[in-house]
Amino acid sequence: MSSKGIRDFRPRIHFTPQDHWMNDPNGMVYINGTYHFCYQKYPYDTVWGPMHWGHAVTKDLLHWEHLPMALYPDELGYIFSGSSVYDKYNTSGYGTKENSPIISVFTSHNNETGLEQQSIAYSVDGGRHFEKSYLNPVIENPGIPDFRDPKVFWNPVHRCWGLVLAAQDRVYFYGSRDLKRWEKTGEFGPEGNHANGVWECPDLLQIKYEDKVFWILVVSMTKTDEGRWRTQYFIGDFDGDKFICTYPSDEAIWLDDGFDNYAGVTFQNYDVPLLMGWAMNWAYASKVPTNEYCGQATLARSLSICNTKAGYRIAGHAEGLDKFRHMAYPVSSGAHLMTETFGLRIKGEGNGKIRLSNSDGQRLEIEVAEDIITVNRAIAGYREFDEQFMTPECSIVSSKRLKEGNWDLEVIFDVSVLEVFADGGLNMVTMVVFPDTPYDTIRWKGKLEVSLFEIS
């Protein structure tokens, strides 16, 4: 059976565009109770095309108001990925006495020559309309391809604006007093990197843990040795000019072990790191059976640091769901599911397996063993839309546990998007699935305690 054209796979609490194509999150900034979320958008088809910036806002991270397009292509090229900051003290000079500006920094991509440079735009009406600067480009290309995705952050060492961007197999750092004039201050990479692929969508953020401030460099990696697009991170320090990896690893450390989480970055001007990624995979993104739209974002995840047997690692926690978590109730194996958007809170001892299934015999499985967590979507739903999606390599994923003994899972399922947070969020797995009919039953094996909460 083919679900194409029959089933509505649009998730209810994961951000999706109203129609047509989306990919990377861009321009994420928090201002006075409102989260601004921009994203790579092609407004004329459900496949990738000349990039614009779409724009939406939310107050609860679950329900979104779509706004007019933020940025359109111009004579410098397509509007590739970038970031926004709230220039509260008007360091840029683009604000007014009444309104501090939002400044967006993005890559101008010339699709004919491949030339990538960095440009800026500003808004003085709370992000409803943006004007591009006559100074563009504000960071010219130094003579290399793959020079893109600027992420602006506050540099507390030099008390100025900082910027990190991807430059082939490394990142470059810049500093500025006014968000218009930028000076390169340092680099990181390729030393310390353990994954092949072009570096993309970097972010530099701080996390406090036990009275210590850790600096985290997040980098998305194009097609790796495993044939996957994944997000890597490094833990260390920032001296005001560059990142230093003071806690190196012998292998790549991945932010998410699923197939469908890429290009994640954090909201600027928020008090803790709050990250959202593109919940899709370049290998099959343009072929998924979602009809009038294509692509979605992950839920927003707050990030923290934990000390594990493998060293310091990031843990994630899905935000915006507490009012639903409080209404969780115990369920028994074989329970009937009444909704397509729900959460599961699971405590387990020893090995355990959880299965979501439907009347078509399709099932999505999560298995926890002593040292590994496995998510299997091999027969979870419709998958004939793409040959690679059907392969074992794209069907089963394993995530190495960083804790010993008893375990816990939080599972968020939203129509066609699965997010798993295991062992307090130390293991995160994001996957898309397309069941021909909604999953209607949950069953499990093992010594488990399971509670369910519905999400609306």
Side-chain angles (χ1 to χ4, degrees):
M1 176 181 176
S2 169
S3 283
K4 194 172 179 66
I6 299 174
R7 221 19 197 114
D8 181 7
F9 287 116
R10 188 188 290 271
R12 296 170 184 166
I13 60 169
H14 287 75
F15 175 82
T16 58
Q18 289 177 296
D19 52 31
H20 300 121
W21 173 272
M22 75 162 283
N23 56 282
D24 304 1
N26 298 153
M28 296 160 54
V29 60
Y30 176 78
I31 305 171
N32 298 328
T34 297
Y35 303 86
H36 289 259
F37 180 82
C38 294
Y39 55 97
Q40 292 282 275
K41 169 78 172 175
Y42 182 49
Y44 307 113
D45 204 342
T46 53
V47 296
W48 190 94
M51 285 291 100
H52 301 53
W53 271 23
H55 188 191
V57 293
T58 182
K59 291 187 179 296
D60 66 2
L61 296 170
L62 302 178
H63 305 96
W64 298 84
E65 176 191 355
H66 295 274
L67 298 182
M69 200 76 64
L71 296 172
Y72 291 80
D74 57 27
E75 67 277 3
L76 292 177
Y78 299 170
I79 311 299
F80 271 20
S81 289
S83 55
S84 295
V85 297
Y86 179 51
D87 186 15
K88 183 177 181 179
Y89 299 106
N90 195 23
T91 61
S92 63
Y94 285 123
T96 66
K97 288 184 179 180
E98 295 79 20
N99 295 305
S100 299
I102 298 173
I103 307 296
S104 296
V105 187
F106 57 91
T107 297
S108 295
H109 173 90
N110 186 311
N111 202 50
E112 294 182 2
T113 65
L115 179 67
E116 293 182 333
Q117 305 178 92
Q118 317 314 317
S119 298
I120 61 175
Y122 58 93
S123 172
V124 293
D125 63 358
R128 299 283 163 164
H129 303 88
F130 285 85
E131 294 288 338
K132 293 170 186 166
S133 172
Y134 72 91
L135 297 172
N136 290 340
V138 296
I139 302 179
E140 296 185 352
N141 191 292
I144 61 173
D146 301 315
F147 181 70
R148 57 179 174 265
D149 309 337
K151 182 65 163 70
V152 181
F153 58 93
W154 180 251
N155 181 336
V157 181
H158 296 320
R159 300 195 60 76
C160 68
W161 296 105
L163 181 151
V164 57
L165 61 79
Q168 294 185 305
D169 63 351
R170 65 196 69 193
V171 292
Y172 288 176
F173 292 92
Y174 293 80
S176 175
R177 299 288 175 186
D178 60 7
L179 293 162
K180 297 182 287 190
R181 301 167 185 85
W182 295 91
E183 178 183 352
K184 185 181 175 185
T185 60
E187 301 180 10
F188 175 77
E191 296 81 8
N193 174 37
H194 297 288
N196 289 332
V198 174
W199 295 32
E200 292 189 315
C201 304
D203 197 352
L204 187 69
L205 49 107
Q206 299 179 65
I207 301 179
K208 293 182 179 179
Y209 176 73
E210 292 185 345
D211 299 324
K212 179 176 174 57
V213 174
F214 292 82
W215 285 85
I216 313 297
L217 176 65
V218 177
V219 182
S220 289
M221 308 292 297
T222 63
K223 199 170 184 179
T224 64
D225 293 334
E226 304 165 295
R228 296 167 62 183
W229 286 259
R230 304 185 71 179
T231 303
Q232 185 178 190
Y233 67 91
F234 306 88
I235 303 176
D237 201 359
F238 178 66
D239 66 5
D241 296 324
K242 63 185 181 301
F243 172 82
I244 305 103
C245 185
T246 52
Y247 298 94
S249 171
D250 294 331
E251 58 184 5
I253 309 175
W254 303 112
L255 189 68
D256 190 296
D257 287 315
F259 296 116
D260 301 302
N261 190 339
Y262 192 70
V265 287
T266 58
F267 284 91
Q268 193 269 338
N269 198 44
Y270 196 68
D271 55 359
V272 298
L274 192 62
L275 180 140
M276 292 176 68
W278 181 45
M280 190 45 69
N281 188 312
W282 282 111
Y284 43 77
S286 63
K287 301 177 183 179
V288 294
T290 52
N291 297 319
E292 76 275 7
Y293 78 97
C294 187
Q296 59 271 316
T298 68
L299 295 176
R301 302 175 178 185
S302 58
L303 304 180
S304 59
I305 285 276
C306 292
N307 195 358
T308 76
K309 61 183 181 180
Y312 292 110
R313 292 293 184 269
I314 284 180
H317 176 77
E319 292 295 332
L321 299 175
D322 280 351
K323 65 180 179 180
F324 305 108
R325 290 185 178 106
H326 292 323
M327 294 185 287
Y329 56 91
V331 292
S332 302
S333 183
H336 188 66
L337 297 169
M338 305 296 291
T339 176
E340 292 185 81
T341 302
F342 57 88
L344 298 171
R345 309 196 79 175
I346 304 167
K347 294 182 178 180
E349 182 179 338
N351 293 353
K353 179 184 287 188
I354 304 97
R355 174 184 295 173
L356 304 177
S357 60
N358 62 17
S359 57
D360 294 313
Q362 296 166 339
R363 59 181 184 266
L364 174 62
E365 295 181 336
I366 305 167
E367 186 169 2
V368 182
E370 180 181 354
D371 58 358
I372 203 161
I373 298 162
T374 303
V375 181
N376 186 341
R377 67 177 179 190
I379 54 173
Y382 173 57
R383 59 187 193 137
E384 287 75 17
F385 59 85
D386 179 71
E387 290 185 1
Q388 186 167 342
F389 190 86
M390 294 173 64
T391 63
E393 292 78 16
C394 250
S395 298
I396 303 172
V397 69
S398 295
S399 182
K400 188 186 302 182
R401 288 189 64 198
L402 298 173
K403 288 180 66 177
E404 297 176 345
N406 296 351
W407 48 271
D408 62 82
L409 293 179
E410 180 167 78
V411 176
I412 309 298
F413 188 79
D414 186 17
V415 183
S416 58
V417 183
L418 170 76
E419 297 196 47
V420 178
F421 301 85
D423 287 334
L426 283 170
N427 297 86
M428 294 180 273
V429 178
T430 306
M431 307 268 266
V432 297
V433 292
F434 304 101
D436 283 312
T437 56
Y439 298 131
D440 56 16
T441 306
I442 174 174
R443 289 186 172 88
W444 62 83
K445 295 179 180 179
K447 193 173 182 180
L448 278 61
E449 296 178 10
V450 181
S451 296
L452 182 145
F453 55 94
E454 299 179 5
I455 306 171
S456 59

